[in-house]
């Protein structure tokens, strides 16, 4: 039974996106911060238990980043809707993720299965995004956080979103190019033989 715990925590995190968005839109920032912290805790725990219980699964590997991206997207769209961040920030972050998903879909159609491994830049990107979302919520609950800190955080997530997005595009373009060269080279060898 315990081997299902990591995936259950991931599903819970996925389900927390709805109340998180509702609390932000209703400007109930203390509750939103609580839900955000619970989501962050579940993210840490699901990885810990997956390794500890040797319960790593393909389902969990696919669902985990989806849950993360959904929570971040909900936060940023809702922040923009209540004017805590500019819409351009939300658009850049979501556009980056859409480009990666579309690229993966194209690779799948043209070359076959896609095996994603998070790059260092991508991990930094996720860390900065989660930290920024929690910082925005914290700034609405606790007085005294300078506006410049939020501005710097916004610039950082824009930078890491673009940098990690470009990193993925370059990485997967090279991978597709190598795959194409192997197919052409392999086909040429068969014709000669």
């Amino acid at each position: 039974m315990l081997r299902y715990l990591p995936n259950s925590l991931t599903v819970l995190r996925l389900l927390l996106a709805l109340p998180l968005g509702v609390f932000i839109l209703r400007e109930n920032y203390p509750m939103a911060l609580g839900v955000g912290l619970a989501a962050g805790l579940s993210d840490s725990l699901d990885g810990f238990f997956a390794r500890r219980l040797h319960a790593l699964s393909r389902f969990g590997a696919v669902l985990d980043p989806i849950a993360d991206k959904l929570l971040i997207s909900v936060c940023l769209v809702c922040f923009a809707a209540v004017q805590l961040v500019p819409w351009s920030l939300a658009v850049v972050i979501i556009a980056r993720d859409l480009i990666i998903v579309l690229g993966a879909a194209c690779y799948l159609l043209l070359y076959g299965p896609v095996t994603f491994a998070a790059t260092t830049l991508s991990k930094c990107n996720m860390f900065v995004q989660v930290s920024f979302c929690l910082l925005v919520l914290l700034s609405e609950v606790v007085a005294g956080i300078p506006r410049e800190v939020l501005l710097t955080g916004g610039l950082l997530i824009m930078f890491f979103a673009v940098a990690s997005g470009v990193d993925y595009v370059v990485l997967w373009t090279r991978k597709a190019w190598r795959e194409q060269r192997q197919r052409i080279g392999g086909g040429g060898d068969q014709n000669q033989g």
Side-chain angles (χ1 to χ4, degrees):
M1 224 32 210
L2 280 177
R3 66 189 177 109
Y4 296 111
L5 182 60
N7 287 344
S8 299
L9 287 168
T10 303
V11 170
L12 172 66
R13 191 162 78 259
L14 197 63
L15 296 174
L16 287 175
L18 179 62
L20 179 61
V22 169
F23 286 134
I24 294 170
L25 292 174
R26 291 185 177 169
E27 300 183 26
N28 186 343
Y29 300 118
M31 288 299 292
L33 181 59
V35 171
L37 289 171
L41 180 62
S42 77
D43 190 21
S44 299
L45 289 176
D46 73 2
F48 171 78
F49 284 125
R51 288 185 297 278
R52 186 83 172 174
L53 300 170
H54 304 289
L56 298 169
S57 70
R58 178 86 178 129
F59 176 74
V62 170
L63 194 61
D64 186 67
I66 291 171
D68 292 342
K69 295 300 174 191
L70 180 65
L71 281 164
I72 295 296
S73 298
V74 165
C75 273
L76 291 172
V77 167
C78 292
F79 286 162
V82 295
Q83 300 180 347
L84 292 178
V85 301
W87 276 104
S88 57
L89 187 66
V91 167
V92 166
I93 303 307
I94 293 168
R96 174 237 184 231
D97 293 338
L98 287 176
I99 288 168
I100 290 171
V101 168
L102 288 173
C106 288
Y107 190 92
L108 178 66
L109 288 171
L110 296 172
Y111 302 107
V114 178
T115 52
F116 265 108
T119 65
T120 302
L121 257 177
S122 179
K123 289 176 183 176
C124 290
N125 177 57
M126 181 52 64
F127 174 77
V128 169
Q129 287 180 359
V130 169
S131 300
F132 178 74
C133 289
L134 290 174
L135 180 65
V136 170
L137 290 172
L138 189 63
S139 73
E140 294 300 312
V141 174
V142 177
I145 296 176
R147 198 81 193 139
E148 294 78 23
V149 172
L150 291 170
L151 205 64
T152 302
L155 292 172
L156 273 174
I157 70 167
M158 290 275 264
F159 169 78
F160 278 104
V162 171
S164 64
V166 168
D167 186 42
Y168 270 125
V169 168
V170 168
L171 182 74
W172 284 92
T173 300
R174 284 182 180 163
K175 198 170 191 163
W177 186 68
R178 280 194 305 269
E179 183 71 29
Q180 188 64 29
R181 282 184 54 199
Q182 285 176 348
R183 286 184 180 186
I184 292 171
D189 290 343
Q190 289 173 352
N191 290 339
Q192 290 173 1

